[in-house]
Amino acid sequence: MLTMQNVSMVYRTESVETHALRDFSLEVDEGEFVSVTGPSGSGKTTFLNIAGLLEEFTSGTYKLDGKDTNSLGDTERSRLRNEKIGFIFQSFNLIPELDIFDNVDVPLRYRGFNAAERKRRIDHVIDMVGLGSRKKHLPSQLSGGQQQRVAIARALAGEPRFLLADEPTGNLDSEMAESVMQLLEDINSKGTTIIMVTHEPNLAARAKRNIFVRDGRISTGEPELQVAVGG
Amino acid sequence: MELGPIWRALIRNKSSYILIALQIAATMALMVNAVSIIQERTRMMSRSSGTDEANIFQIYSMSFDPAQDYQAMVAADLDAIRGFPGVANAVVTNSLPLRQGGWSQDLKTEPGTDNEGSGVAIYFVDEHGVDTFGLNLVAGRNFEVTDVSWFDPDAGPRWPGLVIITEAMATELFPDARPADTVGKTAYIDNDIPVTIIGVLEKMQAPWKDWAGVERSMLVPMKRGDGFARYVIRAEPGYRDELIPQIEQMLAERDTGRVVDGAATMTEIRANAYLEDSAMIKLLVFIVSLLTAITSLGIVGLASFSVARRTKQIGTRRALGAPKAAILRYFMLENFLISSVGVVSGAVIAVGLNMWMVQRFNLTPISWYIIPVAMIALWLVGQCAVYGPARRASLVSPAIATRSV
């Protein structure tokens, strides 16, 4: 469902060219749980941005769910992001002025669902992440783990084909991180494809497949992390 | 439409938005009342004086020779002026509409000091007065030569018993009669001197533009025959400007012992009469424009700050599927809601302020339509002002969402 072939990304300034990704090729099948690890500056976030259609790339081919994304305009890319991808960010990225219900509602409004359908979906996903009694709370009234659960609910509300998680436990203590990981595993077990960028080897190891990125390429030199552990 | 979430977000973060809404409200209140005043002044300035303003001008002559036969001089001057090529007619009179100085007295329908009269502006004219001023006599007749007498300024007027009044004065005196039906009726001047109304004019304004009875005027068939003579001259169309220096020169040459001065067209007299009103309109337009510009800048500033403060939030919205147009719409809607609070509050303040000004300064109440027009104008100003920052917001990359700083 996600196919990248020889994708390169070059950031250019007047004097410097930075190769963030070099001939990056990857295929992720439906239902997989893939972790992406690598040192800082290795290209993990660039990969995530390109995979999530947040950024355009310099060369190569990227097909999402069979659709070539190279030639898409902003509106079409936005629609694809909204319909097929759920994002989970390291710092949750909840909108501080909106309560939990309205935060989860954000992507659904862009989808154009009517109010009843939106409410049904919001209630369902908020209950699913165990925050049914907190719908009218503001993000600032929740713990970090709860905020990340809300972000997961927001990502799931549109019933996307896959989740892109950027260091989803990076800002959480170990107990909350474990709870979020269990939630992600649970979601994956129900068929949602997950690609998770993480620094933490023990979390990466819980994915069904791990890829290690170094210098903008999938590396072959980190056997303990690059080996597919399942799938 | 995201009105609900936007409104709830505004309410939770209201301090900065309240300030801009208050600024919009103040602008709205001042704009509405300023426009109302401008409208009132413009309406007043556009009133017709009832005369042929485009072709009329005045010149006056001052003689200081006590041995001079002033009546003969005025009669001869009038003959000379009326015979001048390009002159349609001329009259010697005491004042003109809008001149801001003239003669007025009370006119009554019943004699006696106990009865209340109505003020009326008096113009002393001869049988050429109606034609010279270009007035429209709608009922009755004009003065005849035999009706006209000389006015001895030392003795005061000996009222000749015949007058022509305006429709407004006729209605004031006889509210139950049609103006035309007042011809032949008697009114009293100086409490008990009867004068018969022999004609009714459609319109002739009094010399005082701010007077409540500005439409109440009366022609009296008397000619002033002293050292000061104000000649009102109506030129044939197109001749006015070239006639002024020629008539001045002609009068000066006819008698070198006098001063010929005060040449002014009715256009100039009107402009002079409404100088303050005109200046007031310009000042109010300037103030309203300045306020609107300051409010626009305030909106631009707030929206720019808001966009800068929420860059990551915008990136997140983009990442969650908002196209550029949705971000643009979000900020436009947000401004629409802030402006709505401002203009609705401003409308209430505007009405209150106007009610106070009507009582305090006797102004006209604002026309109902000014408020919705001002609301729409300020909404549009707000939308134009916020467009730039909103467009910048729509260009925020969705990749901002994944940046940790």
Side-chain angles (χ1 to χ4, degrees), chain A residues 39-94:
Chain A
S40 292
S42 60
K44 301 189 300 293
T45 301
T46 302
F47 158 72
L48 191 85
N49 285 347
I50 290 171
L53 302 175
L54 303 180
E55 229 172 332
E56 294 183 48
F57 46 93
T58 312
S59 63
T61 309
Y62 170 32
K63 287 185 180 175
L64 178 64
D65 220 11
K67 183 149 194 159
D68 191 347
T69 64
N70 290 35
S71 56
L72 299 179
D74 176 72
T75 307
E76 187 64 12
R77 290 169 74 84
S78 299
R79 196 180 63 75
L80 265 183
R81 273 199 302 272
N82 183 261
E83 289 180 4
K84 297 196 182 293
I85 308 170
F87 287 96
I88 303 165
F89 304 100
Q90 179 178 356
S91 47
F92 327 133
N93 290 20
L94 298 178

Side-chain angles (χ1 to χ4, degrees), chain B residues 1-280:
Chain B
M1 296 286 273
E2 296 178 83
L3 282 174
I6 294 173
W7 177 252
R8 289 191 285 277
L10 285 175
I11 291 292
R12 291 192 183 108
N13 194 13
K14 52 185 170 290
S15 51
S16 55
Y17 301 115
I18 282 178
L19 284 178
I20 201 75
L22 280 175
Q23 192 178 348
I24 292 170
T27 304
M28 169 85 184
L30 288 171
M31 178 190 270
V32 165
N33 282 283
V35 168
S36 179
I37 293 170
I38 290 169
Q39 203 177 36
E40 186 181 16
R41 301 279 168 135
T42 306
R43 195 163 41 229
M44 192 167 82
M45 288 172 68
S46 62
R47 293 176 306 191
S48 163
S49 67
T51 64
D52 181 11
E53 291 187 21
N55 297 307
I56 291 175
F57 62 96
Q58 70 157 15
I59 290 175
Y60 59 72
S61 153
M62 287 180 290
S63 296
F64 304 98
D65 181 2
Q68 177 98 31
D69 180 350
Y70 292 131
Q71 292 183 2
M73 185 194 77
V74 167
D77 281 349
L78 284 172
D79 282 344
I81 295 169
R82 285 168 187 156
F84 207 89
V87 171
N89 214 334
V91 69
V92 63
T93 185
N94 58 314
S95 189
L96 298 88
L98 303 175
R99 205 184 65 79
Q100 301 295 87
W103 188 308
S104 75
Q105 284 203 216
D106 273 1
L107 211 55
K108 303 177 177 181
T109 52
E110 297 293 337
T113 52
D114 295 339
N115 297 312
E116 201 170 317
S118 298
V120 65
I122 293 173
Y123 294 101
F124 298 106
V125 295
D126 62 14
E127 71 279 10
H128 295 272
V130 170
D131 184 58
T132 301
F133 277 111
L135 304 171
N136 183 18
L137 188 68
V138 291
R141 68 170 177 85
N142 190 11
F143 300 128
E144 293 172 358
V145 181
T146 51
D147 297 330
V148 181
S149 58
W150 284 98
F151 173 9
D152 179 356
D154 296 328
R158 282 168 289 122
W159 300 107
L162 303 174
V163 294
I164 296 172
I165 62 174
T166 57
E167 283 188 339
M169 188 61 197
T171 303
E172 176 75 12
L173 288 173
F174 305 101
D176 297 331
R178 290 190 308 128
D181 293 340
T182 61
V183 173
K185 289 185 183 292
T186 300
Y188 296 87
I189 197 163
D190 280 352
N191 291 321
D192 51 9
I193 298 173
V195 290
T196 303
I197 299 165
I198 64 161
V200 176
L201 299 169
E202 181 187 9
K203 186 178 182 70
M204 183 185 197
Q205 284 194 324
W208 313 280
K209 53 134 179 128
D210 291 322
W211 183 38
V214 66
E215 304 297 341
R216 301 203 299 262
S217 298
M218 179 167 79
L219 301 184
V220 174
M222 294 183 84
K223 287 192 285 192
R224 183 168 168 151
D226 56 13
F228 180 87
R230 183 187 308 278
Y231 298 113
V232 171
I233 300 151
R234 182 164 65 84
E236 298 288 359
Y239 285 87
R240 184 192 67 183
D241 293 345
E242 67 183 78
L243 274 178
I244 293 172
Q246 292 173 3
I247 301 278
E248 276 183 314
Q249 187 181 354
M250 184 267 284
L251 289 175
E253 286 172 355
R254 279 176 49 79
D255 181 351
T256 53
R258 63 177 168 182
V259 174
V260 177
D261 200 2
T265 64
M266 266 301 282
T267 311
E268 290 165 337
I269 292 169
R270 168 176 284 277
N272 196 43
Y274 288 113
L275 202 59
E276 281 182 16
D277 302 276
S278 181
M280 171 73 88

Side-chain angles (χ1 to χ4, degrees), chain A residues 80-117:
Chain A
L80 265 183
R81 273 199 302 272
N82 183 261
E83 289 180 4
K84 297 196 182 293
I85 308 170
F87 287 96
I88 303 165
F89 304 100
Q90 179 178 356
S91 47
F92 327 133
N93 290 20
L94 298 178
I95 295 168
E97 298 93 359
L98 297 181
D99 64 22
I100 303 315
F101 187 95
D102 282 339
N103 260 289
V104 178
D105 194 22
V106 169
L108 301 182
R109 284 181 178 269
Y110 297 133
R111 188 80 160 266
F113 290 132
N114 63 38
E117 175 65 10

Side-chain angles (χ1 to χ4, degrees), chain B residues 316-361:
Chain B
T316 303
R317 286 179 180 274
R318 296 274 286 127
L320 295 176
K324 289 176 181 171
I327 300 297
L328 183 75
R329 191 170 58 238
Y330 180 94
F331 282 91
M332 303 290 272
L333 274 173
E334 185 180 77
N335 172 268
F336 177 80
L337 288 176
I338 297 167
S339 298
S340 297
V341 172
V343 295
V344 170
S345 313
V348 173
I349 298 169
V351 171
L353 184 63
N354 184 253
M355 286 167 73
W356 178 75
M357 291 205 301
V358 167
Q359 281 191 330
R360 182 78 177 76
F361 303 112

